[in-house]
Amino acid sequence: GLVRRRLLRRLQARAVGGLVWQRFERSRAMEAGQAKGRRVPFFDLSSTKERGRFRVHDARGFEVDSMRRLPLSGQAGGQAGGDEAPGVVLLLGRRPGDHPDCPGAEQVVTVMFDLAAPGGGPDAAVGAAIGNEAAAEAWWHRHKSALVAPDPV
């Protein structure tokens, strides 16, 4: 039934993207370290010096062909972000119609923060960089209530 199909879908995802999911599992293990009193990095292990990534939801729970990037620069007053957000890009995806909590809803999968000065890359129009991990984490805490809601933009 439904449980078997979900399990099969998970196994197929692991087989296709084994390395990606190993990173995901390592990241989850690091988060578990927080319970032992250690500070957990805000950025995901897939982050680079130029771009920090914060995983909001597991990407495996979204329709792959629905994924899109949304730069937040110039989104002042918008539901997602609320204020000017230079250097912030959302990766959005649509939940499948059979999702138990948010069927068919578009949600934020990952928030990407430009850390380096602008000057190229796929989102060069975003504008100034957010700066560092602490600034990115502070931005997230100011805006997370709007960004975790179904259909944030």
Side-chain angles (χ1 to χ4, degrees), residues 72-94:
L72 288 186
S73 182
Q75 294 288 324
Q79 194 174 352
D83 60 3
E84 191 74 18
V88 180
V89 178
L90 303 179
L91 176 63
L92 301 167
R94 187 155 304 282

Side-chain angles (χ1 to χ4, degrees), residues 8 33 60 69 120:
L8 182 59
R60 293 177 282 190
R69 289 178 179 215

Side-chain angles (χ1 to χ4, degrees), residues 56-57 62 79-80 90 92-93 95 102 105-109 140 143-153:
V56 179
H57 294 289
F62 293 86
Q79 194 174 352
L90 303 179
L92 301 167
R95 292 284 191 180
C102 303
E106 186 173 56
Q107 290 186 297
V108 176
V109 179
W140 166 252
H143 302 292
K144 68 182 172 185
S145 61
L147 295 173
V148 296
D151 300 312
V153 290

Side-chain angles (χ1 to χ4, degrees), residues 20-21 24 55-64 67 91 93-95 109-110:
V20 171
W21 304 123
F24 178 80
R55 183 186 61 244
V56 179
H57 294 289
D58 185 348
R60 293 177 282 190
F62 293 86
E63 296 173 353
V64 176
M67 301 276 188
L91 176 63
R94 187 155 304 282
R95 292 284 191 180
V109 179
T110 300

Side-chain angles (χ1 to χ4, degrees), residues 20 25-26 41-42 46 51 62 71 77 88 95 108 115 119 132 138 147:
V20 171
E25 296 301 329
R26 259 188 314 184
F42 176 71
S46 64
R51 174 158 294 174
F62 293 86
V88 180
R95 292 284 191 180
V108 176
L115 302 175
N132 58 43
L147 295 173

